[in-house]
Amino acid sequence: MENQETKGIDFRCYLRHYPDAQGYFGRFGGAYVPAELEPAFKEITQAYHSICHSAQFINELRRIRREFQGRPTPVYHCERLSRLNGGAQIYLKREDLNHTGAHKLNHCMGEGLLAKYMGKKKMIAETGAGQHGVALATAAAYFGLECEIHMGEVDIAKQAPNVTRMRMLGAKVVCVTKGQKTLKEAVDSAFEAYLRDYKTAIYCIGSVLGPHPFPLMVRDFQKVVGDEAREQFIEMTGILPDVVCAAVGGGSNSMGMFPAFLNDPVELVGVEPLGRGDGVGENAATMAFGTEGVMHGFNSIMLKDTNGEPAPAYSVASGLDYPGVGPEHAFLRDVGRVSYATVSDDEAVDAFFKLTRCEGIIPALESAHAVAYAMRRAKEMGTGAILANCSGRGDKDVDFVAEHYGFGEDR
Ligand SMILES: *Cc1c(COP(=O)(O)O)cnc(C)c1O
């Protein structure tokens, strides 16, 4: 990328310099935590920095990726979808084939391994839709650690299958009955539990969010997605894709994809959910409608209500309905390296059906946002290649889609 376009950042050694020692990507990020929790987060930061370069840690994580998660996941050329869509070629990185059916396990296994090296006995986290809870409960089972997942009462009722999976995997699901009884209260509750227990427990966030070092660690653990995809794509085609896109909730599957391509002449696009439209509470398109602010322990872009508090967020894909975005995304947009687009519920559902019917791949509704954007861009471009991250599989969504949209016969 041209330096004048990206404010003089040298992307050849970007990962070494971002974030800085305090966890900042430019002015975004940091660690805004209660004073009592500062030592706990410092301990995690120090442990991560001292462990992550050790050959033993790296080799063990590689073995887990290969033997337990089933990595590398393939890159797949959607020939029929590309032909039907009538434009550039569409390729998918198949994170839906990662064990447990989504990319989230990539960082949960890393966090679990870190917990083991730190001698922790327990993993604590919150979950909204339950996807992070399931991935973390899986990691905890693998490493023989206790697992405590905080979840709002409303979400527990909505996400029954994921609650069952967590319990089956041996996790304790703590029902949070305060306030709106959803994700925000679950975050507070998990933080309180961590404060009581931080000597024996580790807190594990579900995306490239939260106080330093989590945006750094989660990015590093997810980076395997783009590292694999870049090599696989070149192996398949001999060239680089023109565009790489991924759905953005908190931003972890996209921060998995983007780093490998930062120094390439490849357009990077984060795809946010436009939900039902542009009104407050109708979408979760943070980059489109949000402003700068501190939330959940870090400075970034967030959707605010009229009081400056985190606004309610909505998307048909519950994994995307977070009112903020990881600080590194805010930074990469600021310097002009990544751009952000929106896809509505209807476009995402349409892509869900098209991919399912044309290719025999049922994507998660979250991932369908990336597929929808790839289809839109492919049409506009006419030629070339787009690589979209299929972050997860849609088994969890089929009952909902069938009930609200039918089976797609008429599409
Ligand atoms: C959680 C989730 C997302 C959104 O989270 P990111 O941190 O933005 O990746 C996307 N796709 C799937 C399948 C998910 O489970």
Side-chain angles (χ1 to χ4, degrees):
M1 284 288 107
E2 301 295 331
N3 274 355
Q4 64 269 26
E5 280 176 19
T6 51
K7 300 196 179 162
I9 293 166
D10 183 351
F11 284 109
R12 284 170 306 182
C13 45
Y14 168 84
L15 292 175
R16 216 183 307 141
H17 297 301
Y18 295 92
D20 70 14
Q22 275 67 50
Y24 281 93
F25 305 87
R27 64 180 193 279
F28 301 107
Y32 300 78
V33 296
E36 315 94 88
L37 271 180
E38 265 172 35
F41 281 89
K42 288 226 169 81
E43 186 203 355
I44 298 176
T45 307
Q46 273 162 10
Y48 178 66
H49 281 307
S50 67
I51 292 165
C52 74
H53 298 295
S54 89
Q56 202 188 351
F57 183 86
I58 292 167
N59 286 333
E60 194 167 349
L61 193 56
R62 281 198 182 137
R63 191 178 57 76
I64 289 168
R65 302 253 194 252
R66 193 171 59 239
E67 295 171 12
F68 180 67
Q69 293 182 230
R71 302 202 70 90
T73 59
V75 164
Y76 172 71
H77 182 194
C78 300
E79 282 185 56
R80 255 168 48 79
L81 182 71
S82 303
R83 196 157 55 237
L84 264 136
N85 190 51
Q89 299 305 304
I90 297 169
Y91 293 77
L92 298 181
K93 175 62 171 166
R94 298 287 312 274
E95 286 305 289
D96 55 314
L97 296 176
N98 197 33
H99 179 44
T100 73
H103 70 287
K104 285 195 176 74
L105 195 67
N106 296 333
H107 65 254
C108 287
M109 294 309 288
E111 289 171 339
L113 188 60
L114 181 67
K116 186 182 116 171
Y117 274 67
M118 290 174 75
K120 301 291 184 187
K121 304 250 173 312
K122 185 180 188 178
M123 305 176 90
I124 298 176
E126 72 284 334
T127 193
Q131 296 296 101
H132 176 53
V134 169
L136 199 67
T138 303
Y142 176 94
F143 289 107
L145 300 168
E146 283 174 59
C147 185
E148 186 179 299
I149 304 293
H150 295 246
M151 196 169 178
E153 195 177 12
V154 171
D155 292 329
I156 288 182
K158 271 209 305 225
Q159 309 290 343
N162 277 341
V163 176
T164 305
R165 285 167 86 192
M166 284 184 253
R167 293 204 167 121
M168 206 70 85
L169 287 158
K172 180 177 156 201
V173 179
V174 178
C175 178
V176 181
T177 55
K178 280 191 193 145
Q180 301 292 305
K181 305 173 188 176
T182 62
L183 183 62
K184 185 184 171 298
E185 292 78 19
V187 173
D188 296 339
S189 171
F191 259 62
E192 278 166 33
Y194 181 47
L195 192 54
R196 285 193 296 273
D197 231 0
Y198 73 83
K199 293 224 161 59
T200 53
I202 185 168
Y203 174 70
C204 293
I205 208 151
S207 189
V208 285
L209 302 168
H212 181 60
F214 284 94
L216 161 72
M217 282 195 327
V218 173
R219 174 196 74 190
D220 289 359
F221 291 140
Q222 286 293 346
K223 207 171 76 62
V224 64
V225 177
D227 288 343
E228 286 175 8
R230 187 178 185 280
E231 198 181 310
Q232 290 165 320
F233 192 91
I234 292 173
E235 168 84 28
M236 284 170 86
T237 67
I239 52 168
L240 285 164
D242 299 282
V243 179
V244 171
C245 67
V248 176
S252 66
N253 84 85
S254 46
M255 278 319 304
M257 277 295 253
F258 294 164
F261 298 96
L262 280 173
N263 195 42
D264 292 328
V266 171
E267 188 182 335
L268 303 177
V269 184
V271 184
E272 293 195 311
L274 186 58
R276 302 188 195 101
D278 56 12
V280 176
E282 297 291 305
N283 62 71
T286 309
M287 291 299 202
F289 306 113
T291 49
E292 190 171 339
V294 173
M295 182 179 79
H296 297 166
F298 62 103
N299 184 46
S300 188
I301 306 294
M302 60 193 238
L303 293 171
K304 294 176 193 162
D305 64 16
T306 43
N307 300 319
E309 292 295 312
Y314 162 81
S315 164
V316 69
S318 48
L320 301 180
D321 66 359
Y322 181 72
V325 69
E328 192 165 12
H329 283 284
F331 174 70
L332 288 171
R333 179 180 69 164
D334 225 32
V335 301
R337 183 62 191 92
V338 178
S339 58
Y340 293 81
T342 60
V343 158
S344 69
D345 280 4
D346 287 345
E347 287 172 282
V349 169
D350 197 51
F352 173 95
F353 282 123
K354 292 254 159 63
L355 184 65
T356 300
R357 293 259 166 160
C358 282
E359 301 288 353
I361 297 170
I362 304 178
L365 281 171
E366 292 81 4
S367 321
H369 284 72
V371 177
Y373 178 78
M375 288 167 58
R376 186 200 297 164
R377 273 305 293 278
K379 272 206 195 91
E380 287 168 13
M381 286 160 56
T383 58
I386 304 180
L387 173 62
N389 196 8
C390 187
S391 53
R393 66 177 181 228
D395 303 41
K396 67 183 180 56
D397 297 315
V398 291
D399 290 335
F400 174 88
V401 172
E403 191 188 326
H404 292 87
Y405 300 92
F407 291 91
E409 310 89 330
D410 47 351
R411 298 205 179 222

